[in-house]
């Protein structure tokens, strides 16, 4: 008896057209494996697979169920919506034991590299009850491909859920599908690592984020939007990203020949070395909220056009006097101001560094040839940055234990985890750019450092001679632009910013009302018998007041600052208590603490905003 047709119907119910895709793949099947069914000594159906004249058992011949039972026990008590990632369905006993032993709903993501094995799985086991009780996502490489698996992983693996994350590669899948197993493991690890890095970055900047965002927002009255660059920057010239990698020392003098023949944007750390050589870039960029002013504290730098974020170090923006360009970052209160400009929305893909931000900006304004300079993403000559950046002479460090990656001129070069993340971003982003724009071309003229995929490697001298052939005066181009806001919009913006302290005061009042509701919840859950009608009524009132506070534009700034607290709340929402009394009291306890913190922060930010906007 086979359950194949029944299972197709079930899959189509949860994932429309999946049955058609499976049937199509089955009809076009190229047999890469020989699969045999056997019965183990403990009466379980197991598969024996032949590949490259070798046989692999996907289940134990004597005890097929035992290892699966042990695995499920080692997982411990799983919380509701715990994430389980499994590679393979060739031994369905693991999945069966997991779903049938768990009393709570799980999210199970399964990656199966072989359509042949997946079809066998559909024939052997009924999945109807499993699908009803749990969220099971099947990704079969021969149907959807590895890219879909990556998008699924990114949408599901979140920092708040990492403590509930479980992972399993079924026996012999690492032998049958070694390449796919390595890729699957790498994807899971890299996405989880990225989530941790993003969380840690948010923590690092949370202490200064609100101060920077509010202080820098004063610049919006007389600022420009990066989308305006599309109107004036020629597309037939190259864009040059000048980063501050150690290789910049080798070819920095060559950049003089590109001036007036390219759109040159430098990162903040490259400003001092460039100006020391008498090279004034057309623009420089800063995105780091903790960047020290000393890095750009040169009189000439004050007038160079700047592309920045509201999160960037406010001391640098206050020091700077020239044109300032901003892009959309998603801050609700800032988006209201941007909306008054009448300009279209426009963001960039930050990629984690100021150099990747500049690269994305050049691509988004339509420049088809981008030249990378000083973008080592590695420790060239055992140095992290060019001389003259953080120190006049950068020190050499011991890189013997560093991560090794492919180099532009050397076989392998040492790098560190954050540089590797930026490198992988370039690999991914450039590939996507080339798919969308056939003419898009990237030249890596770094003359050292790590190899970036899909780039043409050449010296900066060669790149300038070949690509920088048309004259352009970038400053004249920029001078044509009007400010982002007209006079009426500027007046509105000033009044809006001056009203932010009052809005923060209103947030304090709403948070106070919410805290009182949480206290009432705690009170009714202290009784032996909880009035469920009253309990639900309180939850509805909480929901209503929460929506009210979320309407306030500046509440978003408070939630960003509460990164750790928010993680704790999100993390613990998956924990379940035995009784409604315990559950209600725990909700109340967290809510009281959270709203008290919101009140305190709103009061602090009110005082801060009052001081920042008093002279507007």
């Amino acid at each position: 008896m086979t359950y194949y047709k029944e299972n197709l119907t079930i899959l189509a119910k949860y994932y429309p057209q999946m049955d058609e895709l499976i049937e199509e793949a089955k009809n076009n099947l190229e047999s890469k494996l020989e699969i045999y069914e056997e019965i183990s000594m403990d009466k379980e159906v197991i598969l024996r697979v032949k590949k490259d004249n070798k046989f692999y058992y996907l289940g134990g011949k004597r005890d097929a169920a035992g290892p699966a039972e042990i695995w499920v026990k080692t997982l411990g008590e799983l919380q509701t919506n715990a994430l389980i990632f499994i590679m393979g369905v060739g031994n369905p006993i693991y999945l069966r034991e997991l779903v049938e032993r768990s009393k709570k709903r799980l999210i199970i993501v399964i990656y199966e590299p072989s359509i042949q094995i997946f079809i066998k799985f559909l024939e052997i086991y009924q999945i109807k009850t499993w699908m009803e009780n749990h969220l099971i996502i099947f990704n079969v490489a021969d149907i959807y491909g590895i890219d879909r698996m990556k998008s699924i992983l990114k949408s599901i693996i979140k920092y708040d859920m990492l403590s509930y994350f479980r992972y399993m590669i079924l026996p012999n899948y690492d032998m049958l599908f070694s390449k796919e197993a390595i890729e699957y493991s790498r994807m899971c690890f890299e996405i989880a690592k990225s989530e941790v890095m993003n969380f840690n970055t948010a923590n690092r900047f949370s202490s200064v984020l609100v101060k920077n965002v509010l202080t820098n927002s004063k610049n919006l009255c007389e600022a420009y939007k990066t989308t305006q660059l599309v109107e004036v920057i020629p597309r037939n010239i190259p864009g040059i990203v000048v980063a501050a990698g150690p290789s910049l020392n080798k070819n920095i003098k060559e950049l003089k020949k590109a001036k007036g023949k390219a759109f040159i944007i430098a990162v903040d750390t490259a400003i001092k070395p460039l100006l020391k050589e008498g090279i004034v870039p057309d623009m420089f960029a800063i995105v780091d909220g903790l960047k020290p002013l000393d890095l750009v504290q040169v009189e000439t730098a004050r007038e160079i056009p700047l592309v920045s974020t509201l999160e960037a170090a406010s001391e640098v923006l206050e020091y700077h006097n020239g044109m300032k360009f901003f892009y959309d970052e998603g801050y609700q209160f800032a988006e209201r101001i941007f909306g008054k400009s009448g300009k279209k929305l426009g963001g960039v893909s930050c990629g984690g560094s100021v150099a990747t931000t500049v690269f994305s900006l050049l691509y988004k304004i339509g420049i088809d040839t981008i030249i990378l300079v000083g973008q080592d993403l590695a420790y060239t000559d055992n140095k992290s940055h060019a001389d003259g950046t953080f120190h006049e002479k950068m020190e050499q460090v011991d890189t013997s234990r560093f991560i090794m990656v492919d180099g532009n001129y050397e076989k392998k070069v040492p790098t560190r985890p954050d540089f590797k993340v930026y490198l992988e971003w370039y690999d991914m982003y450039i590939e996507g750019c080339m798919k969308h724009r056939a003419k898009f071309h990237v030249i890596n003229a770094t003359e050292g450092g790590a190899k970036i995929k899909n780039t043409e490697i050449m010296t900066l001298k060669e790149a300038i001679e070949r690509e920088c052939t048309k004259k352009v005066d970038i400053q004249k181009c920029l001078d044509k632009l009007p400010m982002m806001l007209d006079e009426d919009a500027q007046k509105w913006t000033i009044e809006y910013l001056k009203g932010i302290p009052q809005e923060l005061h209103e947030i304090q009042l709403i948070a106070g009302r919410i805290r009182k509701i949480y206290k009432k919840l705690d009170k009714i859950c202290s009784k032996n018998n909880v009035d469920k009608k009253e309990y639900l009524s309180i939850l509805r009132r909480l929901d209503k007041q929460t929506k009210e506070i979320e309407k306030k534009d500046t509440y978003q700034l408070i939630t960003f600052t509460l990164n750790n607290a928010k993680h704790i709340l999100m993390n613990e929402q998956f924990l379940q208590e035995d009784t409604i009394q315990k559950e209600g009291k725990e909700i109340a306890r967290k809510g009281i603490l959270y709203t008290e913190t919101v009140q305190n922060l709103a009061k602090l930010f009110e005082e801060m905003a009052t001081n920042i906007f008093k002279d507007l």
Side-chain angles (χ1 to χ4, degrees):
M1 178 182 177
T2 176
Y3 299 107
Y4 179 74
K5 290 293 183 184
E6 177 187 332
N7 285 336
L8 280 190
T9 303
I10 297 299
L11 288 173
K13 175 183 176 182
Y14 291 94
Y15 305 106
Q17 297 185 314
M18 189 174 181
D19 57 335
E20 297 173 14
L21 292 171
I22 293 170
E23 286 283 73
E24 183 181 347
K26 184 180 179 183
N27 294 332
N28 298 321
L29 183 65
E30 292 182 19
S31 295
K32 299 175 184 178
L33 307 171
E34 293 179 29
I35 304 175
Y36 305 91
E37 286 185 33
E38 294 186 11
I39 303 297
S40 66
M41 291 179 66
D42 58 343
K43 308 301 181 185
E44 297 282 359
V45 178
I46 59 174
L47 299 181
R48 181 165 60 101
V49 178
K50 184 179 181 183
K51 181 182 180 183
D52 299 330
N53 294 318
K54 291 183 179 179
F55 283 99
Y56 301 90
Y57 276 93
L58 302 186
K61 290 185 287 184
R62 296 177 180 80
D63 182 14
E69 293 172 2
I70 293 170
W71 174 65
V72 172
K73 287 179 182 177
T74 63
L75 296 178
E77 185 180 354
L78 296 171
Q79 294 299 329
T80 301
N81 292 326
L83 288 172
I84 315 292
F85 291 86
I86 301 175
M87 181 174 179
V89 289
N91 187 338
I93 302 169
Y94 280 81
L95 179 59
R96 183 192 70 193
E97 292 298 311
L98 178 65
V99 297
E100 292 183 357
R101 287 175 181 268
S102 177
K103 297 176 182 178
K104 296 171 182 174
R105 182 179 182 273
L106 305 175
I107 300 174
I108 305 168
V109 182
I110 298 174
Y111 171 48
E112 173 54 62
S114 168
I115 183 66
Q116 286 181 261
I117 292 178
F118 187 66
I119 288 170
K120 272 290 179 186
F121 160 73
L122 294 179
E123 292 172 351
I124 295 170
Y125 278 89
Q126 283 181 300
I127 63 172
K128 182 176 183 294
T129 305
W130 302 351
M131 299 291 287
E132 288 172 347
N133 295 335
H134 304 276
L135 173 58
I136 305 177
I137 302 170
F138 294 102
N139 191 76
V140 186
D142 292 326
I143 297 176
Y144 295 114
I146 198 71
D147 287 341
R148 181 175 182 268
M149 187 72 237
K150 187 179 291 186
S151 66
I152 289 172
L153 292 175
K154 283 184 176 179
S155 67
I156 292 177
I157 300 178
K158 299 299 178 186
Y159 185 84
D160 303 314
M161 290 295 293
L162 288 183
S163 56
Y164 304 117
F165 177 97
R166 300 292 185 273
Y167 171 85
M168 176 66 172
I169 295 179
L170 292 190
N172 271 332
Y173 265 76
D174 55 340
M175 302 296 292
L176 276 168
F177 310 103
S178 57
K179 181 181 176 182
E180 292 87 348
I182 291 169
E183 179 66 10
Y184 178 65
S185 301
R186 187 191 67 79
M187 280 195 299
C188 288
F189 173 75
E190 292 296 336
I191 294 169
K193 183 176 73 173
S194 176
E195 284 294 307
V196 172
M197 283 185 66
N198 290 339
F199 179 80
N200 289 339
T201 300
N203 273 350
R204 177 174 174 244
F205 290 113
S206 63
S207 60
V208 297
L209 183 144
V210 174
K211 171 184 167 289
N212 285 340
V213 169
L214 293 177
T215 302
N216 292 336
S217 65
K218 292 190 295 183
N219 293 291
L220 295 178
C221 291
E222 297 181 336
Y224 302 80
K225 280 202 76 173
T226 51
T227 52
Q228 292 178 269
L229 293 171
V230 177
E231 303 167 17
V232 294
I233 300 297
R235 314 287 204 286
N236 60 353
I237 60 168
I240 300 180
V241 181
V242 186
S247 292
L248 182 61
N249 296 133
K250 298 179 182 180
N251 55 17
I252 191 169
K253 295 181 188 296
E254 293 291 336
L255 282 166
K256 288 183 180 179
K257 299 173 185 175
K259 183 67 177 177
K261 297 179 181 178
F263 184 19
I264 305 173
I265 308 183
V267 305
D268 42 22
T269 44
I271 280 293
K272 279 191 172 180
L274 288 172
L275 295 180
K276 186 177 179 181
E277 292 292 337
I279 302 165
V280 181
D282 299 307
M283 187 176 283
F284 77 101
I286 176 172
V287 299
D288 194 330
L290 296 173
K291 193 72 75 173
L293 174 60
D294 180 62
L295 283 176
V296 299
Q297 204 167 15
V298 184
E299 193 62 28
T300 310
R302 302 186 76 173
E303 300 300 329
I304 300 172
L306 172 68
V307 58
S308 182
T309 66
L310 292 175
E311 297 176 3
S314 56
E315 293 80 9
V316 175
L317 271 70
E318 288 180 325
Y319 175 76
H320 180 261
N321 293 326
M323 301 174 76
K324 294 179 178 67
F325 289 80
F326 293 93
Y327 52 84
D328 295 88
E329 300 171 73
Y331 287 110
Q332 291 171 8
F333 85 97
E335 292 304 318
R336 285 192 181 273
I337 298 171
F338 284 138
K340 291 292 179 180
S341 72
K343 307 292 181 185
K344 64 179 181 179
L345 292 173
V348 300
S349 178
C350 71
S353 77
V354 62
T356 53
T357 298
V358 171
F359 184 92
S360 177
L361 172 64
L362 289 172
Y363 169 74
K364 296 226 172 180
I365 66 174
I367 290 180
D368 283 328
T369 299
I370 298 179
I371 301 171
L372 300 175
V373 182
Q375 189 62 87
D376 291 65
L377 299 172
Y379 276 62
T380 303
D381 298 327
N382 291 334
K383 294 181 179 181
S384 63
H385 290 79
D387 293 335
T389 53
F390 293 95
H391 305 288
E392 192 61 32
K393 201 76 175 173
M394 292 295 292
E395 67 172 336
Q396 292 185 321
V397 299
D398 180 8
T399 59
S400 59
R401 299 189 177 213
F402 278 35
I403 302 166
M404 302 302 289
V405 294
D406 293 338
N408 286 322
Y409 294 93
E410 301 173 72
K411 189 172 182 181
K412 294 289 182 181
V413 291
T415 191
R416 66 192 197 196
D418 55 337
F419 285 178
K420 189 169 183 287
V421 169
Y422 308 150
L423 176 64
E424 290 167 352
W425 179 90
Y426 269 119
D427 291 341
M428 175 274 298
Y429 196 76
I430 292 172
E431 182 180 4
C433 292
M434 293 173 72
K435 286 179 181 178
H436 285 92
R437 287 218 308 260
K439 293 181 179 180
F440 187 71
H441 180 57
V442 183
I443 298 169
N444 195 342
T446 295
E447 299 186 38
K451 185 177 182 179
I452 300 173
K453 293 177 184 176
N454 295 307
T455 62
E456 182 182 7
I457 300 172
M458 62 170 65
T459 66
L460 180 56
K461 184 176 184 294
E462 292 168 337
I464 291 172
E465 286 177 353
R466 192 180 80 182
E467 303 294 339
C468 301
T469 58
K470 298 178 178 66
K471 291 186 177 181
V472 63
D473 188 329
I474 296 295
Q475 190 56 55
K476 277 190 176 179
C477 293
L478 298 179
D479 288 341
K480 297 175 185 176
L481 291 174
M483 289 180 186
M484 174 179 70
L485 302 177
D486 60 24
E487 189 176 347
D488 288 340
Q490 287 180 350
K491 290 178 181 177
W492 180 90
T493 297
I494 290 171
E495 292 305 312
Y496 176 69
L497 292 175
K498 286 168 70 174
I500 283 179
Q502 176 58 34
E503 180 172 290
L504 288 163
H505 184 73
E506 291 169 6
I507 288 173
Q508 294 173 57
L509 299 177
I510 299 172
R513 292 200 293 270
I514 296 174
R515 190 164 86 251
K516 286 181 180 178
I517 299 172
Y518 276 121
K519 286 183 175 179
K520 186 168 184 180
L521 178 64
D522 179 68
K523 186 177 180 180
I524 71 159
C525 289
S526 298
K527 301 174 183 178
N528 291 329
N529 294 312
V530 176
D531 185 333
K532 290 186 178 180
K533 188 176 180 181
E534 188 178 11
Y535 182 88
L536 293 173
S537 174
I538 288 175
L539 292 183
R540 283 194 292 270
R541 286 172 60 196
L542 283 172
D543 183 60
K544 183 179 178 181
Q545 288 296 316
T546 300
K547 287 177 180 175
E548 191 66 28
I549 204 170
E550 287 174 348
K551 289 178 184 177
K552 303 297 183 183
D553 296 333
T554 50
Y555 177 66
Q556 182 191 41
L557 295 178
I558 293 171
T559 62
F560 286 163
T561 309
L562 284 169
N563 192 48
N564 269 313
K566 189 171 65 173
H567 162 62
I568 292 169
L569 289 174
M570 290 295 292
N571 181 274
E572 293 185 356
Q573 71 175 316
F574 302 103
L575 300 176
Q576 290 187 333
E577 300 293 345
D578 298 332
T579 65
I580 193 171
Q581 287 98 332
K582 289 183 180 179
E583 183 178 275
K585 285 190 74 66
E586 186 61 11
I587 291 172
R589 182 185 69 83
K590 293 171 189 169
I592 291 166
L593 287 172
Y594 186 77
T595 49
E596 185 176 355
T597 307
V598 168
Q599 273 191 303
N600 291 336
L601 280 174
K603 183 179 180 181
L604 176 66
F605 295 162
E606 179 190 356
E607 295 168 359
M608 185 188 295
T610 301
N611 184 56
I612 289 170
F613 299 129
K614 66 182 179 183
D615 296 327
L616 276 178

